[in-house]
Amino acid sequence: MTMDMTTIPNPIYKPGAYFAFNTTLASRALATNDQKLLIIGQRLADSATVDALTPVNVYSDDEAALYFGHGSQAHRMARAAIKANQYIQLTVVGLDDAEGAQAANTKLTISGKATNSGQVRLSVCGTFINVAVASGDTPDDIYKALATAVTADQSLPVTAQTGVIPPAGDDDPSTPILNFTAVNKGTCGNEIAMTVTSTASGLTLEMDPMSGGQGDPSLDAAFSAVFASGHTMILLPYTSDDALAKLSAHLDNVSGPLEQRGAVGVTGWNGTLASGTTLTSKVNAPRISCGWHAGSALPNGELAAIYGAVMASESDPARPLNTLTLPGLDITAQDNWPGRTEQENALMNGLTPFEVDGSVVRIVRAVSTYVKNAAGVTDRSLMDITIIRSLDYVRLACRTRYTQRFPREKLTDARLARIRSELLDVLYSLEQLEIVENVDALKDQLTVTRSLQDDTRAEATIPAAIVRGLHVFAAVIYLM
């Protein structure tokens, strides 16, 4: 509420004392750095209760399953994010599978007969489905048990159906198999990690990785649907050149000087270092961070959801995310753990490595994919994702103070001096929070002047020496 003398009519002829309120000077506090996360992922059109391209707030695993369909990409990403950070403000936009898209699939082939009791253990994205095996059980017995168990766990991103491979010749028998199909069509199904083992003797199990998924949804309509929503972080499951280019363009548009809704994008990568750095070198965007967990059983979308949720847990935009744990990430096989040289290579190429530390996974250093400037020269000015997030917050703090103090003003030299004073006060407050530094040394560079081309416009230059993270400490110990 802002009232001043203009709310009291003039002239007034009836005698009396008339008081209005003016709250423009009521607060000197900085704006809060609230984090609003957005997940974009595929839904299941047959079972979803929220229409495609309709943003909806999600507060629980059950809600996500209801809104987007059990086991859908959108459901599983939301579930992963909420498990990693239960206090996030989360919005999800569901997408329909692309027209003409193909679902990834694989088949399990079991030969022989169980000669003792045991278990067959199926792993789907790190979730284990165990079925008991008795001596004498045939492949058909095991297929039926596995299909029943997979169907019972609605959170899985696959379905299971028994089938047969036709005989190769007239005299050959058909081969029974168990088919697995991704619930969402498109390349996301190729990322579903599946393995199978058996503790029962007499059985031979064969299963190839999921493959054949083709065709991803267009993101144009999704970005249009949320353009004005003001999300500070967008978690995207897709890592194609086209998808990340559109994400980067969307982030630049909403974060630019006209829209001023600063946001960053987060994606994940479970592939090799070489393929990951090839990906980030093409993206080269200061507002996108890609978390790398080599050999993870989780799809890239779920990696992004967990990484983004943990990033949002840090309200101080300048504080490094180093060593923060990533709840819900799987402990990968040791031969997938990146060594020191691989981590250095990842960081210098804009890829954020994760590392296994005992029973948890941690962020090594959260960097953006921005590596080179427009001239193709290496540029480390926006290396850490905290830098662009801090700049967004400085802008938010300055803009909030300006709109509080000067909602409807005349352009005078005295007014310009007051604007400069308020902006300087904001910088001093930011310095106390250790988001910027050296305000006294740089305050002469803070200027508020009249435009030379527009008599109704004021222009400011605001120096912001963003505080960098303390990432490296080097010391020499002298033997005395």
Side-chain angles (χ1 to χ4, degrees), residues 212-240:
Q214 299 179 46
D216 291 330
S218 172
L219 297 174
D220 295 327
F223 287 138
S224 295
V226 299
F227 186 82
S229 300
H231 296 102
T232 58
M233 199 174 296
I234 298 178
L235 316 180
L236 193 71
Y238 310 110
T239 55
S240 67

Side-chain angles (χ1 to χ4, degrees), residues 134-219:
S135 179
D137 277 355
T138 65
D140 280 333
D141 298 325
I142 301 170
Y143 292 151
K144 291 176 183 177
L146 281 173
T148 299
V150 169
T151 302
D153 190 341
Q154 293 183 309
S155 69
L156 297 179
V158 296
T159 59
Q161 306 86 22
T162 57
V164 295
I165 299 176
D170 294 338
D171 297 329
D172 297 324
S174 60
T175 304
I177 57 173
L178 184 61
N179 290 307
F180 296 96
T181 305
V183 298
N184 280 120
K185 297 178 181 179
T187 61
C188 61
N190 299 333
E191 299 170 7
I192 298 172
M194 297 185 62
T195 59
V196 64
T197 59
S198 174
T199 61
S201 301
L203 300 174
T204 301
L205 293 77
E206 296 180 11
M207 185 169 65
D208 293 326
M210 292 282 284
S211 63
Q214 299 179 46
D216 291 330
S218 172
L219 297 174

